[in-house]
Amino acid sequence: MDIDISPLIENWQFILTGLGFTLALSALSIALGAAIGLVGGVLRTYGGKLLDSAIGLYVDVVRSIPVLAILVWTYFAFPLVIGESLTPFSGGVLALGVHLGAYITETIRAGLTSIRPGQMRAALALGMSRFEAIRTIILPQALIRMLPPLGSLIVIAVKDSAIASVIAVPELLRQSQVLAGKTFRPFEIYTAAMLIYFLICYPTARTIDRVYRRLGVLGAS
Amino acid sequence: MIAKRKTKSRPRIGSGTAPILSFEGVVKRYGPLEALAGVSFQVHRGEVVCLIGPSGSGKSTLLRCANALETIDGGRVVLEGVEVHDRRTDARKLRRRMGMVFQNFELFPHLTVLRNVAVGPTTVLGMPQRQAAERATELLRKVGLADKAAHYPASLSGGQQQRVAIARALAMQPDVMLFDEPTSALDPETIGEVLSVMKRLADEGMTMVVVTHEMDFAKRVGNWIVVFDHGKVVEQGPPQQVFDEPTVQRTRDFLSHLGWHGESLAAADLLVQPSSTDP
């Protein structure tokens, strides 16, 4: 098998555009997922029975459906509900963010419930409101404790952004498909795509791991 | 401020005036279990009231009822005319007036020692960071831990952590300090340093309610002893009476169970000789 990387070199801007979309899609869906997860996790833990059940339903529904199905539904079916079409990119951010949000919700809930009740008592005894106690005392510890699973979710979110290729978001995998079809060089191009994903995800995982090694002790009450 | 207390025969401080904190027939139930079955006693300003009795007799529960960390099922708790458990009472304002120290310290592990002490004033009172840090530094000096300000709680010994916890409670400048078995989770060699900080507080006139198994401390520093058993107060009175001439059999049983036979204390100051405070 002869290897010819010239299609990559000639089309580097095309690949770079894909990388840009992958990074943007990942970052925005992680931001959306984190926002949903933060609010969802806190409300599920401290918001009373009704909110707990409602958010629990969201979590269970999302976790029971393949992310690909959620993506396709969001892009092709959801516009019929709202009577407004979505761009592939915003559809991708929405679907991936809502999907990720369910997992982050559960992770943050697990972190919050793992903090022993004495910490809340100590915060309340100082005169803090429950909200102040959660914000300044409980949540920071929970986030530190949950750094390893949150890190996994972030890395998975970057990888899952590739799924958006099916709704034609011009992200890395989609651009690679197009290029491979045009140049008949699938080996070189898909290998390069894999390498690029690895070069994003591996340092991300290592960085989060290193941060946890430094901060982990601060979450141990 | 009250002058340094004499070791022997202290009169009940402020007994002629209205109590700062009073418990009137407090009832607390957990399902069928009656944790507090009508508890009444009073705390006067400047007084050290020690709650003693077997584990599970309701002492710690009562302390949590005092600052509304627990609801009550009967009776009332009154802090200077304010009904603690009244619906219209702002529990947060009330808790600012009562500092609490826990058996397991409950320092905030993600904050430095200085921030642990300063977080109450900054979060609750909205005090500027610098001013809160100054107050915290001063309090840490008072408990002998100014050099640990930048450390995290995990790197401190149990006794040091509990002294930080005392400073944290004091940072809110409370009227009353509540101590929930402050030395029960400590190594014997660090009990003394915590007790001496508490004794100094008492000497400065701080009003204190102390749940403790340290009978030497209760006898030497306490002005009023309340003996609990099965959610009831079986006896209360000045330490001389409770320790030397207990009128109730249950008190005698409890004290002899701890190896206390009413003899006077050894000449050594047990508060600075922690190893001899072991029962």
Side-chain angles (χ1 to χ4, degrees), chain B residues 256-274:
Chain B
S256 73
H257 182 72
L258 290 180
W260 184 284
H261 300 292
E263 76 271 37
S264 55
L265 294 160
D269 187 350
L270 298 175
L271 297 176
V272 290
Q273 298 267 322

Side-chain angles (χ1 to χ4, degrees), chain B residues 40-109:
Chain B
S40 303
F41 67 92
Q42 300 183 332
V43 181
H44 295 95
R45 196 174 275 278
E47 201 174 41
V48 178
V49 172
C50 292
L51 314 186
I52 65 171
S55 298
S57 57
K59 311 178 299 285
S60 298
T61 305
L62 183 97
L63 221 53
R64 285 189 202 162
C65 292
N67 64 352
L69 285 179
E70 294 272 9
T71 57
I72 59 175
D73 300 304
R76 50 192 214 134
V77 181
V78 183
L79 178 75
E80 276 192 322
V82 182
E83 288 255 11
V84 172
H85 294 273
D86 187 42
R87 280 174 157 280
R88 286 159 297 180
T89 302
D90 183 352
R92 288 162 56 194
K93 279 204 180 123
L94 217 127
R95 290 186 188 124
R96 290 179 209 168
R97 301 182 52 196
M98 291 190 262
M100 194 165 199
V101 175
F102 301 85
Q103 181 175 354
N104 293 317
F105 331 130
E106 300 297 354
L107 291 182
F108 306 131

Side-chain angles (χ1 to χ4, degrees), chain A residues 110-121:
Chain A
L112 291 170
T113 39
S114 79
I115 307 295
R116 66 171 187 225
Q119 289 282 302
M120 175 61 93
R121 271 201 290 272

Side-chain angles (χ1 to χ4, degrees), chain A residues 65-144:
Chain A
I65 302 172
V67 58
L68 183 56
I70 294 177
L71 182 77
V72 171
W73 190 88
T74 305
Y75 184 58
F76 293 108
F78 185 57
L80 302 175
V81 179
I82 55 169
E84 195 96 32
S85 65
L86 293 174
T87 65
F89 183 76
S90 56
V93 168
L94 188 62
L96 295 174
V98 166
H99 176 256
L100 180 64
Y103 288 88
I104 295 187
T105 295
E106 280 308 89
T107 307
I108 287 181
R109 180 173 80 125
L112 291 170
T113 39
S114 79
I115 307 295
R116 66 171 187 225
Q119 289 282 302
M120 175 61 93
R121 271 201 290 272
L124 293 179
L126 283 173
M128 289 188 197
S129 65
R130 276 171 77 78
F131 179 74
E132 287 167 344
I134 292 165
R135 187 171 54 84
T136 62
I137 305 300
I138 313 293
L139 191 59
Q141 292 182 57
L143 289 178
I144 292 170

Side-chain angles (χ1 to χ4, degrees), chain A residues 218, chain B residues 107-119 140 148-153 164:
Chain A
L218 303 184
Chain B
L107 291 182
F108 306 131
H110 61 303
L111 303 178
T112 62
V113 164
L114 186 84
R115 287 276 295 139
N116 261 278
V117 181
V119 73
L140 286 173
K148 300 287 185 190
H151 289 57
Y152 283 92
V164 175

Side-chain angles (χ1 to χ4, degrees), chain B residues 4-27:
Chain B
K4 224 173 154 71
R5 289 196 176 89
K6 283 183 251 153
T7 320
K8 289 273 168 180
S9 70
R10 297 167 298 267
R12 187 159 195 197
I13 292 166
S15 51
T17 61
I20 183 167
L21 182 62
S22 74
F23 300 86
E24 298 167 23
V26 176
V27 176

